[in-house]
Each structure stands twice: as structure tokens, then as C-alpha cells.
Amino acid sequence: MAREQLSVLIPEDRLQARIRELGAKIRADYGDEPLTVIGVLKGSFIFMADIVRAIGGDVRCEFLGVSSYHGGTRTTGVVRITDDLRNPIEGQHCLVVEDIIDTGLTMDYLLKILAVRGPKSLRTCSLLDKPAHREVDITCDYVGFSIPDEFVVGYGLDLGERYRNLPYIAVYSP
Ligand code: IMP
């Protein structure tokens, strides 16, 4: 594996500390209300596992599979649902969990298709925010870290399906 192309941007201890903070803030905002957390696959699977435990309380986990990349480092702008939710979300407080918001196109699309299903509320949480390439005006309710304009991997984020298993976020330099 070409480890020399990676440099650590957010180490594991900072990730975990921030996720605990975010989880506590989210739980405080919803009080004792049940919350349906919707993880966007594949990139959010590791963050999802940690954030739902940090939120605690009455949480339901759902997953939505989307694909907007085809193995490269730039988005195609075309969002494709590869796996839909297994259950209805009507009348539920829903929180969409993403790994990263870059152009914002994926989140914008997801919010549109989920809003018409009648959730009680719909908010967004992203571990990373890369505002440099924003193409749509998206405000994320809960953000872990705002990062510079770099391609990052690790902690669920991939390059051509590699590096998802790194326990930290690293900048990938070709
Ligand atoms: P957006 O639609 O441009 O906001 O991109 C959202 C998706 O692009 C994310 O869920 C990631 O899967 C992917 N993505 C964007 N930036 C990066 C990155 O730096 N590394 C890995 N994947 C990324």
C-alpha cells in the first residue's frame, strides 16, 4: 500500500473527542425524542457507528446507499441511489449522516427525496465539510471539522474503495 502518499490531517484521538461532543450536542437538541439516523453509504459507515453511540438514547439506524463517484477524486455530479431506506420515515425526527460535504450536490439531492416522505423533522450531520467546491447552498446542522481543499481518505472515506479502514483522516497526494 502506498502509505507515503498519505499525511495525517485529523488523528484518531481528535476525531473521537469531536464525535463525543457532537453526539452530546445532538442528544441535547432532541431531548428524549426518538431519532432516526440515516447513514449515507458507503462513506459514513464508520462515522455512523461512532456517532449513534455518542448520541445515545432512542435511536433507529437506517442506511441509504448512494454513488456519485466512479472511482476517481472528482464528483460526477450525478447522484444515484444504490440502496433505498428499508422503512418509512414519515412522522419521525430524521438526521442524515454523511462522511463529507464537498460540492453539496449529494446532500441537496438526498434532502429533496427524503423531505417528500413526510419526516417530522430533517437535519444533517457531516463529519467533514470541504466548503471550497460548494456548488449548492447547503447548510449542515452538525459539522465535525471544516477542512481545506484537499482530497482526504480514511475513517470510511475512500479512493477507489481503498483506505476506508484507516482510523484517522489523511490527505491523499497523488
Ligand atoms: P458532494 O456531493 O460533492 O458533496 O460529495 C459528497 C460525496 O463525495 C461524499 O459522500 C464522498 O463520498 C465524496 N467525497 C467528496 N470529497 C471527498 C474526499 O475528499 N475524499 C473522499 N470522498 C470524497
Coordinates of all heavy atoms in Angstrom, one line a residue, residues 53-117:
R53 N -23.6 5.9 18.8 CA -23.3 5.6 20.2 C -23.1 6.8 21.0 O -23.4 6.9 22.2 CB -22.0 4.6 20.2 CG -22.4 3.2 19.8 CD -21.2 2.3 19.8 NE -20.3 2.6 18.8 CZ -19.2 1.9 18.6 NH1 -18.8 1.0 19.4 NH2 -18.4 2.3 17.6
A54 N -22.5 7.9 20.4 CA -22.3 9.1 21.1 C -23.6 9.9 21.3 O -23.7 10.6 22.3 CB -21.3 10.0 20.3
I55 N -24.6 9.7 20.4 CA -25.9 10.3 20.6 C -26.6 9.6 21.7 O -27.2 10.3 22.6 CB -26.7 10.3 19.3 CG1 -26.1 11.1 18.2 CG2 -28.2 10.8 19.5 CD1 -26.7 10.9 16.8
G56 N -26.6 8.3 21.7 CA -27.3 7.6 22.8 C -28.8 7.7 22.8 O -29.4 8.3 21.9
G57 N -29.5 7.2 23.8 CA -30.9 7.3 23.9 C -31.6 6.5 22.8 O -31.1 5.5 22.3
D58 N -32.8 6.9 22.4 CA -33.7 6.2 21.5 C -33.3 6.5 20.0 O -33.7 7.5 19.5 CB -35.1 6.6 21.8 CG -36.1 5.7 21.1 OD1 -35.7 4.9 20.2 OD2 -37.3 5.7 21.4
V59 N -32.5 5.6 19.5 CA -32.0 5.9 18.1 C -32.4 4.7 17.2 O -32.2 3.5 17.6 CB -30.5 6.1 18.1 CG1 -29.9 5.9 16.7 CG2 -30.1 7.5 18.7
R60 N -32.9 5.0 16.0 CA -33.1 3.9 15.0 C -32.1 4.2 13.9 O -31.8 5.4 13.5 CB -34.5 4.1 14.3 CG -35.6 3.7 15.3 CD -36.9 4.1 14.7 NE -37.8 4.3 15.8 CZ -39.1 4.4 15.7 NH1 -39.7 4.3 14.5 NH2 -39.9 4.5 16.8
C61 N -31.5 3.1 13.4 CA -30.5 3.3 12.3 C -31.0 2.9 11.0 O -31.6 1.8 10.9 CB -29.2 2.4 12.6 SG -28.4 2.9 14.1
E62 N -30.9 3.7 10.0 CA -31.3 3.4 8.6 C -30.1 3.7 7.7 O -29.2 4.5 8.1 CB -32.5 4.2 8.2 CG -33.8 3.9 8.9 CD -34.4 2.6 8.4 OE1 -34.0 2.1 7.3 OE2 -35.2 2.0 9.1
F63 N -30.0 3.1 6.6 CA -29.0 3.3 5.6 C -29.5 3.6 4.3 O -30.5 3.0 3.9 CB -28.0 2.2 5.6 CG -27.2 2.0 6.9 CD1 -27.6 1.1 7.9 CD2 -26.1 2.7 7.1 CE1 -27.0 1.0 9.1 CE2 -25.3 2.6 8.3 CZ -25.8 1.7 9.3
L64 N -28.8 4.5 3.6 CA -29.2 4.8 2.2 C -27.9 4.7 1.4 O -26.8 5.3 1.8 CB -29.6 6.3 2.3 CG -30.4 6.9 1.1 CD1 -31.7 6.1 0.8 CD2 -30.9 8.3 1.6
G65 N -27.9 3.9 0.3 CA -26.7 3.8 -0.5 C -26.7 4.8 -1.6 O -27.7 4.8 -2.4
V66 N -25.7 5.6 -1.8 CA -25.6 6.5 -2.9 C -24.3 6.4 -3.6 O -23.3 6.0 -3.0 CB -25.9 8.0 -2.6 CG1 -27.2 8.2 -1.9 CG2 -24.8 8.6 -1.8
S67 N -24.2 6.7 -4.8 CA -23.0 6.7 -5.5 C -22.9 8.0 -6.4 O -23.8 8.3 -7.2 CB -22.9 5.5 -6.4 OG -22.0 5.6 -7.4
S68 N -21.8 8.8 -6.2 CA -21.7 9.9 -7.1 C -20.3 10.0 -7.7 O -20.1 10.8 -8.6 CB -21.9 11.2 -6.3 OG -21.0 11.3 -5.2
Y69 N -19.5 9.0 -7.3 CA -18.1 8.9 -7.9 C -18.0 7.7 -8.7 O -18.7 6.7 -8.4 CB -17.1 8.8 -6.8 CG -16.7 10.2 -6.2 CD1 -17.6 11.2 -6.1 CD2 -15.4 10.3 -5.6 CE1 -17.2 12.4 -5.5 CE2 -15.1 11.5 -5.0 CZ -16.0 12.6 -5.0 OH -15.6 13.7 -4.4
H70 N -17.1 7.6 -9.6 CA -16.8 6.4 -10.3 C -15.4 6.0 -10.1 O -14.7 5.8 -11.1 CB -17.3 6.4 -11.7 CG -18.8 6.7 -11.8 ND1 -19.7 5.7 -11.6 CD2 -19.5 7.8 -11.9 CE1 -20.9 6.2 -11.6 NE2 -20.8 7.5 -11.8
G71 N -14.9 6.1 -8.9 CA -13.5 5.6 -8.6 C -12.5 6.7 -8.6 O -11.3 6.5 -8.3
G72 N -12.8 7.9 -9.0 CA -11.8 9.0 -9.1 C -11.9 9.9 -7.9 O -12.5 9.6 -6.9
T73 N -11.3 11.1 -8.1 CA -11.3 12.1 -7.0 C -12.2 13.3 -7.2 O -12.2 14.2 -6.5 CB -9.8 12.6 -6.7 OG1 -9.3 13.2 -7.9 CG2 -8.9 11.5 -6.3
R74 N -12.9 13.2 -8.3 CA -13.9 14.3 -8.6 C -15.3 13.8 -8.7 O -15.5 12.7 -9.3 CB -13.5 15.1 -9.9 CG -12.3 15.9 -9.8 CD -12.6 17.4 -9.7 NE -13.3 17.8 -8.5 CZ -12.6 18.1 -7.4 NH1 -11.4 18.1 -7.3 NH2 -13.3 18.5 -6.3
T75 N -16.2 14.5 -8.2 CA -17.6 14.0 -8.3 C -18.1 14.2 -9.8 O -17.7 15.1 -10.5 CB -18.6 14.8 -7.3 OG1 -19.9 14.2 -7.5 CG2 -18.6 16.3 -7.6
T76 N -19.0 13.3 -10.1 CA -19.6 13.4 -11.5 C -20.8 14.3 -11.5 O -21.3 14.7 -12.5 CB -20.1 12.0 -11.9 OG1 -21.1 11.5 -11.0 CG2 -19.0 11.0 -12.1
G77 N -21.3 14.6 -10.2 CA -22.4 15.5 -10.1 C -23.7 14.7 -10.3 O -24.8 15.2 -10.1
V78 N -23.6 13.5 -10.7 CA -24.8 12.6 -10.9 C -25.0 11.7 -9.7 O -24.1 10.9 -9.4 CB -24.8 11.8 -12.2 CG1 -26.0 10.9 -12.3 CG2 -24.6 12.7 -13.4
V79 N -26.0 11.9 -8.9 CA -26.2 11.1 -7.7 C -27.1 9.9 -8.0 O -28.2 10.1 -8.6 CB -26.8 12.0 -6.5 CG1 -26.9 11.2 -5.2 CG2 -26.0 13.2 -6.3
R80 N -26.7 8.7 -7.6 CA -27.5 7.5 -7.9 C -27.8 6.8 -6.6 O -26.9 6.6 -5.8 CB -26.7 6.6 -8.8 CG -27.4 5.6 -9.6 CD -26.5 5.0 -10.7 NE -25.2 4.6 -10.2 CZ -25.0 3.3 -9.8 NH1 -25.9 2.4 -9.9 NH2 -23.8 3.0 -9.4
I81 N -29.1 6.5 -6.4 CA -29.4 5.7 -5.2 C -29.1 4.3 -5.5 O -29.7 3.7 -6.4 CB -30.9 5.9 -4.8 CG1 -31.3 7.4 -4.5 CG2 -31.3 5.0 -3.7 CD1 -30.8 7.9 -3.2
T82 N -28.3 3.7 -4.7 CA -28.0 2.2 -5.0 C -28.7 1.3 -4.0 O -29.0 0.2 -4.3 CB -26.4 2.0 -4.8 OG1 -26.0 2.4 -3.5 CG2 -25.7 2.7 -5.9
D83 N -29.1 1.9 -2.8 CA -29.9 1.1 -1.8 C -30.8 2.1 -1.1 O -30.4 3.1 -0.5 CB -29.1 0.5 -0.8 CG -28.4 -0.8 -1.3 OD1 -29.2 -1.8 -1.4 OD2 -27.2 -0.8 -1.5
D84 N -32.1 1.9 -1.2 CA -33.1 2.8 -0.6 C -33.3 2.4 0.9 O -32.9 1.3 1.3 CB -34.4 2.8 -1.3 CG -35.2 4.1 -1.1 OD1 -34.9 4.8 -0.2 OD2 -36.2 4.3 -1.9
L85 N -33.9 3.3 1.7 CA -34.3 3.0 3.1 C -35.1 1.8 3.1 O -36.0 1.5 2.2 CB -35.0 4.2 3.7 CG -34.3 5.5 3.7 CD1 -35.3 6.6 4.3 CD2 -33.1 5.5 4.6
R86 N -35.0 1.0 4.2 CA -35.8 -0.2 4.3 C -37.2 0.1 4.9 O -38.1 -0.7 4.8 CB -35.1 -1.2 5.2 CG -33.8 -1.7 4.7 CD -34.0 -2.9 3.7 NE -32.8 -3.1 2.9 CZ -31.9 -4.0 3.3 NH1 -32.1 -4.7 4.3 NH2 -30.8 -4.2 2.5
N87 N -37.3 1.2 5.6 CA -38.5 1.6 6.4 C -39.0 3.0 6.1 O -38.2 3.8 5.7 CB -38.3 1.4 7.9 CG -37.9 0.0 8.2 OD1 -38.7 -0.9 8.1 ND2 -36.7 -0.2 8.7
P88 N -40.3 3.2 6.3 CA -40.8 4.6 6.1 C -40.2 5.5 7.2 O -39.9 5.1 8.3 CB -42.3 4.5 6.3 CG -42.6 3.0 6.4 CD -41.4 2.3 6.7
I89 N -40.1 6.8 6.9 CA -39.6 7.8 7.9 C -40.7 8.8 8.2 O -40.4 9.8 8.9 CB -38.3 8.5 7.3 CG1 -38.6 9.2 6.0 CG2 -37.2 7.5 7.3 CD1 -37.5 10.1 5.6
E90 N -41.9 8.6 7.8 CA -43.0 9.6 8.0 C -43.2 9.8 9.5 O -43.2 8.8 10.3 CB -44.3 9.0 7.4 CG -45.4 10.0 7.3 CD -46.6 9.5 6.6 OE1 -46.6 8.4 6.1 OE2 -47.6 10.2 6.7
G91 N -43.3 11.0 9.9 CA -43.5 11.4 11.3 C -42.4 11.2 12.2 O -42.5 11.4 13.4
Q92 N -41.2 10.9 11.7 CA -40.0 10.7 12.5 C -39.0 11.9 12.4 O -38.9 12.5 11.4 CB -39.3 9.4 12.1 CG -40.2 8.2 12.3 CD -39.6 7.0 11.6 OE1 -38.3 6.9 11.5 NE2 -40.4 6.1 11.2
H93 N -38.3 12.2 13.6 CA -37.2 13.1 13.5 C -36.1 12.4 12.8 O -35.6 11.3 13.3 CB -36.7 13.5 14.9 CG -37.7 14.4 15.6 ND1 -38.0 15.6 15.1 CD2 -38.4 14.3 16.8 CE1 -38.8 16.2 16.0 NE2 -39.1 15.4 17.0
C94 N -35.5 12.9 11.7 CA -34.5 12.2 10.9 C -33.2 13.1 10.9 O -33.3 14.3 10.7 CB -35.0 12.0 9.5 SG -36.4 10.8 9.5
L95 N -32.1 12.4 11.0 CA -30.8 13.1 10.9 C -30.0 12.3 9.8 O -29.7 11.1 10.0 CB -30.1 13.0 12.2 CG -28.7 13.6 12.3 CD1 -28.8 15.2 12.2 CD2 -28.0 13.3 13.6
V96 N -29.7 13.0 8.7 CA -28.9 12.4 7.7 C -27.4 12.5 8.0 O -26.9 13.6 8.3 CB -29.2 13.0 6.3 CG1 -28.4 12.3 5.2 CG2 -30.7 13.0 6.0
V97 N -26.7 11.4 8.0 CA -25.3 11.4 8.4 C -24.4 11.1 7.2 O -24.5 10.0 6.6 CB -25.0 10.4 9.5 CG1 -23.6 10.1 9.8 CG2 -25.7 10.8 10.8
E98 N -23.5 12.1 6.9 CA -22.6 12.0 5.7 C -21.2 11.9 6.2 O -20.9 12.4 7.3 CB -22.8 13.2 4.8 CG -23.6 12.9 3.5 CD -22.8 12.2 2.5 OE1 -21.9 11.4 2.8 OE2 -23.1 12.4 1.3
D99 N -20.3 11.4 5.4 CA -18.9 11.5 5.8 C -18.3 12.9 5.5 O -17.6 13.5 6.2 CB -18.1 10.4 5.0 CG -18.3 10.4 3.5 OD1 -19.2 11.2 3.0 OD2 -17.7 9.7 2.8
I100 N -18.7 13.4 4.3 CA -18.1 14.7 3.9 C -19.1 15.4 2.9 O -19.8 14.8 2.2 CB -16.7 14.5 3.2 CG1 -16.0 15.8 2.8 CG2 -16.8 13.6 1.9 CD1 -14.6 15.7 2.5
I101 N -19.1 16.8 3.1 CA -19.9 17.6 2.1 C -18.9 18.4 1.3 O -18.1 19.1 1.9 CB -20.9 18.5 2.8 CG1 -21.9 17.6 3.6 CG2 -21.6 19.4 1.8 CD1 -23.0 18.5 4.3
D102 N -18.9 18.1 0.0 CA -17.9 18.8 -0.9 C -18.7 19.8 -1.8 O -18.9 20.9 -1.4 CB -17.2 17.7 -1.7 CG -16.1 18.2 -2.6 OD1 -15.7 19.3 -2.4 OD2 -15.7 17.4 -3.5
T103 N -19.2 19.3 -2.9 CA -20.0 20.3 -3.8 C -21.3 20.5 -3.1 O -22.0 21.5 -3.4 CB -20.3 19.6 -5.2 OG1 -21.0 18.4 -5.0 CG2 -19.0 19.4 -5.9
G104 N -21.8 19.6 -2.3 CA -23.1 19.7 -1.7 C -24.2 19.1 -2.5 O -25.4 19.0 -2.1
L105 N -23.9 18.6 -3.7 CA -24.9 18.0 -4.6 C -25.6 16.8 -4.0 O -26.8 16.6 -4.1 CB -24.3 17.7 -6.0 CG -23.8 18.9 -6.8 CD1 -22.9 18.5 -8.0 CD2 -25.1 19.6 -7.3
T106 N -24.8 15.9 -3.4 CA -25.3 14.7 -2.8 C -26.3 15.0 -1.7 O -27.5 14.5 -1.7 CB -24.2 13.8 -2.2 OG1 -23.2 13.6 -3.3 CG2 -24.8 12.4 -1.8
M107 N -25.9 15.8 -0.8 CA -26.8 16.2 0.4 C -28.1 16.9 -0.1 O -29.2 16.6 0.3 CB -26.1 17.0 1.4 CG -26.8 17.2 2.7 SD -27.2 15.6 3.5 CE -25.9 15.5 4.7
D108 N -27.9 17.8 -1.1 CA -29.0 18.6 -1.6 C -30.1 17.6 -2.2 O -31.3 17.7 -2.0 CB -28.5 19.5 -2.7 CG -29.5 20.5 -3.2 OD1 -30.2 21.1 -2.4 OD2 -29.8 20.5 -4.4
Y109 N -29.6 16.6 -3.0 CA -30.4 15.6 -3.6 C -31.1 14.8 -2.6 O -32.3 14.6 -2.6 CB -29.6 14.8 -4.6 CG -30.3 13.7 -5.2 CD1 -31.2 13.9 -6.3 CD2 -30.2 12.3 -4.8 CE1 -31.9 12.9 -6.9 CE2 -30.9 11.3 -5.4 CZ -31.7 11.6 -6.4 OH -32.4 10.6 -7.0
L110 N -30.4 14.3 -1.6 CA -30.9 13.5 -0.5 C -32.0 14.2 0.2 O -33.1 13.6 0.5 CB -29.8 13.0 0.4 CG -28.8 12.0 -0.2 CD1 -27.8 11.6 0.8 CD2 -29.6 10.8 -0.8
L111 N -31.8 15.4 0.6 CA -32.8 16.2 1.4 C -34.1 16.3 0.6 O -35.1 16.2 1.1 CB -32.2 17.6 1.7 CG -31.1 17.6 2.8 CD1 -30.6 19.0 3.0 CD2 -31.6 17.0 4.1
K112 N -33.9 16.5 -0.8 CA -35.1 16.6 -1.6 C -35.9 15.3 -1.6 O -37.1 15.3 -1.4 CB -34.8 17.1 -3.0 CG -34.4 18.5 -3.1 CD -34.1 19.0 -4.5 CE -33.7 20.5 -4.4 NZ -32.6 20.8 -5.2
I113 N -35.2 14.2 -1.8 CA -36.0 13.0 -1.9 C -36.5 12.5 -0.5 O -37.5 11.8 -0.4 CB -35.2 11.8 -2.6 CG1 -34.0 11.4 -1.8 CG2 -34.8 12.2 -4.0 CD1 -33.6 9.9 -2.1
L114 N -35.9 12.9 0.6 CA -36.3 12.5 1.9 C -37.5 13.4 2.4 O -38.4 12.9 3.0 CB -35.2 12.5 2.9 CG -34.1 11.4 2.6 CD1 -32.9 11.6 3.6 CD2 -34.7 10.0 2.7
A115 N -37.4 14.7 2.0 CA -38.4 15.6 2.5 C -39.8 15.2 2.1 O -40.8 15.4 2.9 CB -38.1 17.0 2.0
V116 N -39.9 14.7 0.9 CA -41.3 14.3 0.4 C -41.9 13.1 1.1 O -43.0 12.8 0.9 CB -41.3 14.1 -1.2 CG1 -40.9 15.4 -1.9 CG2 -40.4 13.0 -1.6
R117 N -41.1 12.4 1.9 CA -41.6 11.2 2.6 C -42.2 11.6 4.0 O -42.5 10.7 4.7 CB -40.4 10.2 2.8 CG -39.9 9.7 1.4 CD -38.8 8.7 1.6 NE -38.2 8.4 0.3 CZ -37.4 7.4 0.1 NH1 -37.1 6.6 1.1 NH2 -36.8 7.2 -1.1

